[in-house]
Amino acid sequence: MKTMFDLTGKVAIVTGGNGGIGLGVARGLASAGAAVVVAGRNATKSAAAVRNLAALGATAGQIEVDVRDETSVRSMVASAVARHGRLDILVNNAGINVRKPPHEIALSEWTQVIETNLTSAYLCSHAAYPHMKAAGGGKIVNIGSMMSIFGTSYTPAYAASKGGIVQFTKACATAWARDNIQVNAVLPGWIDTDLTTRARQEVAGLHDRVLARTPAGRWGTPDDHAGIAVFLCSRASDFVTGTAIPVDGGYSVQG
Ligand code: NDP
C-alpha cells in the first residue's frame, strides 16, 4: 500500500503553492516524496513556502509566474522541466475572488477573475501536456469550489470560473485518458485562508453560517487537502479521471 501513494522521483508544479490551500497540497505531495515547484507572484511568500517544504525533507523550489499570462506560464513549465528533467504533476490552484453582485461587477473585474481562475488552468495544462505525454503519463488536479455546485448573489465571476473548471476538467480527462494523464478536480468547502479571511470581513455573518451548515462543525484547513492531493497524484488513482471531489466536511451534502 505504501508504494501505491509513493511520489518519489515525481516532479510537481503547484500554482499558488506559496500559501493557503496550495501550500497544504504542496506539503502533501512533498511528504509523499515529490519534488515540488511552488509557483506564485509573491517571491517572499514563495521563499517561505520553500523553506516550509524543505523542512519536511523535500526537494522544493520556487518560480515566479503570473498564471494569467501565457508567456509567463510557458516559461514556468520550461524552467521546471529544465531544473528537474521532467513534469509529472500539475496542480492548478491559483485563484482570486471579487465579491460583488452581477449588476455591480465591472468587466475588468469579471475578466480578472475568469483569467486567474479558469483561463490559467487552460494555459498551464496546455503547456504541461506535451511533457506529460512524452513521459507516458501525468496527473492534473484543478481546484474548484463549492461555487462549482452552488451559487451566491455576490460571486458571479467566481462561480462561473469554478463551474467552468469542472467542465474543463472533464474535457481534458476525456481528451488525455489514452495518454495516461488523469485530470480531476477538488472542490474545497470553506477553508481558513487569506482568501476567506477577506470574505469574512466582507460578508456579514459568514463565519457562523459556515459553522452551522458544515456537518463536521469546523472550517477546513489547508492541510485537509494533503491527502486528496496525494491520492489524485499517485498510482492509487490511475483509473480515476474527470471527477470533482468535495473536500468540505459534508457541506455539499447537508440537506
Ligand atoms: P489564497 O489567497 O491563500 O491563495 C491564492 C493563491 O493564488 C496565492 O498563493 C496567490 O499567489 C495565487 N495567485 C493569485 N493570483 C495569481 C496569479 N495571477 N498568478 C500566480 N499566482 C496567483 O487563497 P486559497 O488558498 O483560499 O485559494 C486557493 C484556491 O482554492 C483558489 O483557487 C480558491 O478559489 C480555491 N478555494 C478556496 C476556498 C477557501 O475556502 N479558502 C474554497 C474553495 C476554493 P501570490 O500570493 O504569490 O499572488
Side-chain angles (χ1 to χ4, degrees):
M1 279 306 278
K2 265 189 189 162
T3 58
M4 193 170 273
F5 298 99
D6 186 12
L7 299 180
T8 305
K10 304 292 185 188
V11 175
I13 294 177
V14 183
T15 70
N18 58 10
I21 291 172
L23 183 54
V25 165
R27 286 169 57 82
L29 300 181
S31 299
V36 179
V37 174
V38 164
R41 292 171 301 185
N42 183 327
T44 309
K45 244 173 86 181
S46 294
V50 167
R51 285 195 297 278
N52 186 298
L53 297 174
L56 300 172
T59 301
Q62 70 190 83
I63 293 176
E64 275 175 60
V65 68
D66 180 349
V67 293
R68 301 169 61 190
D69 182 89
E70 183 177 12
T71 306
S72 179
V73 165
R74 294 210 165 273
S75 157
M76 168 190 76
V77 169
S79 302
V81 172
R83 221 179 264 180
H84 297 284
R86 56 190 296 135
L87 176 61
D88 306 283
I89 295 165
L90 168 67
V91 182
N92 289 312
N93 163 79
I96 59 166
N97 198 357
V98 173
R99 293 176 195 87
K100 290 184 180 175
H103 49 280
E104 284 180 15
I105 192 163
L107 177 59
S108 58
E109 294 168 324
W110 170 274
T111 305
Q112 191 189 7
V113 173
I114 296 289
E115 287 185 351
T116 306
N117 297 4
L118 180 58
T119 310
S120 63
Y122 152 71
L123 289 175
C124 294
S125 305
H126 192 268
Y129 171 71
H131 299 285
M132 293 182 175
K133 181 176 163 68
K139 303 279 187 178
I140 299 177
V141 177
N142 297 320
I143 304 298
S145 162
M146 288 298 100
M147 295 307 133
S148 300
I149 307 170
F150 302 116
T152 60
S153 57
Y154 53 86
T155 56
Y158 188 81
S161 72
K162 294 300 186 178
I165 208 94
V166 169
Q167 295 306 103
F168 180 64
T169 298
K170 293 175 189 171
C172 295
T174 52
W176 298 340
R178 295 289 175 99
D179 298 316
N180 190 31
I181 299 169
Q182 289 81 46
V183 188
N184 290 284
V186 169
L187 314 183
W190 287 92
I191 315 301
D192 189 11
T193 67
D194 289 351
L195 191 76
T196 48
T197 300
R198 274 196 307 282
R200 276 176 275 194
Q201 287 158 2
E202 290 172 13
V203 184
L206 178 64
H207 179 79
D208 291 335
R209 276 211 308 280
V210 168
L211 278 186
R213 179 176 167 144
T214 304
R218 66 173 176 87
W219 281 64
T221 68
D223 282 342
D224 283 327
H225 299 79
I228 189 79
V230 171
F231 169 65
L232 290 177
C233 295
S234 68
R235 197 163 63 77
S237 61
D238 278 356
F239 204 53
V240 179
T241 199
T243 67
I245 303 177
V247 177
D248 65 351
Y251 184 94
S252 59
V253 295
Q254 174 75 278

